[in-house]
Amino acid sequence: MNTGPKEKILNDDNSRPALRAAINTTCIKLPAPPEPSHLRGSGADRQHTLSHRNASHRRREPKFIGRIGAELDVKTGHMAAYLAAVNALAVAREHLGSLDKVTRIVRLGVLVATSGDVREQPRIADGASELLQDVFGKDKNPSRLVYGVASLPLGVPVELELIFEVSA
């Protein structure tokens, strides 16, 4: 989905050339990761994975509040999923030191707060999937699971769960 010129929201100065080229091509700049709004899971284990959850909301005021089909439309949900993925990558980069250590994305879980008869959760989740594909390439596409839910913490429309495979 082409949403016009993308604001620079990802950047990784310590990236390998192919990843740096992908980031530059998509005009993305990673911000400093925001502080968590509450305790949440994020960390590495012995199988060389990094998991992250609650990427859409952090200790600052959420950019989007509401449910798709009530207060927000599908396009806004798509943007919220994109922003959640940006935040997840910022947290991963801070935790790992560089996104170069990501060898693939194992799983992407997308929770979408909807109301009524909304059935467009996969289109909304594409906001996160498209960014991850732009940054890491199609060959690292994760398994994806999309849920429609009645509500999410702090009233945000989208929440992500990401599992990254990382090099030692």
Side-chain angles (χ1 to χ4, degrees):
M1 169 184 251
N2 186 357
T3 58
K6 293 181 180 175
E7 180 183 341
K8 291 187 175 206
I9 55 175
L10 279 178
N11 186 10
D12 191 342
D13 297 328
N14 301 322
S15 298
R16 60 188 175 265
L19 183 58
R20 194 171 29 243
I23 290 171
N24 290 338
T25 300
T26 57
C27 300
I28 304 169
K29 182 178 180 190
L30 264 179
E35 291 297 316
S37 61
H38 58 281
L39 293 177
R40 48 106 174 99
S42 186
D45 65 25
R46 293 182 185 174
Q47 285 77 38
H48 303 290
T49 61
L50 172 70
S51 62
H52 177 74
R53 181 134 190 238
N54 297 346
S56 65
H57 58 281
R58 301 314 220 87
R59 192 165 281 162
R60 56 187 156 191
E61 193 65 31
K63 181 167 176 114
F64 303 104
I65 296 177
R67 293 174 297 152
I68 310 305
E71 301 85 4
L72 304 172
D73 61 14
V74 172
K75 183 177 180 181
T76 304
H78 187 274
M79 291 187 296
Y82 184 89
L83 179 60
V86 167
N87 286 338
L89 291 179
V91 170
R93 184 183 67 181
E94 178 185 55
H95 188 79
L96 298 170
S98 171
L99 291 176
D100 289 338
K101 294 180 181 177
V102 175
T103 56
R104 73 181 178 107
I105 303 164
V106 177
R107 181 177 187 274
L108 169 62
V110 184
L111 289 84
V112 182
T114 60
S115 68
D117 291 335
V118 174
R119 293 180 178 91
E120 311 239 19
Q121 291 90 346
R123 280 189 50 211
I124 294 161
D126 286 347
S129 295
E130 290 166 3
L131 174 66
L132 296 174
Q133 200 171 77
D134 287 348
V135 171
F136 296 106
K138 289 184 179 183
D139 61 322
K140 294 185 182 175
N141 269 353
S143 164
R144 182 174 97 167
L145 187 56
V146 182
Y147 297 97
V149 298
S151 67
L152 289 168
L154 303 178
V156 297
V158 176
E159 184 169 291
L160 301 183
E161 177 186 23
L162 278 156
I163 300 174
F164 299 96
E165 180 180 88
V166 297
S167 59

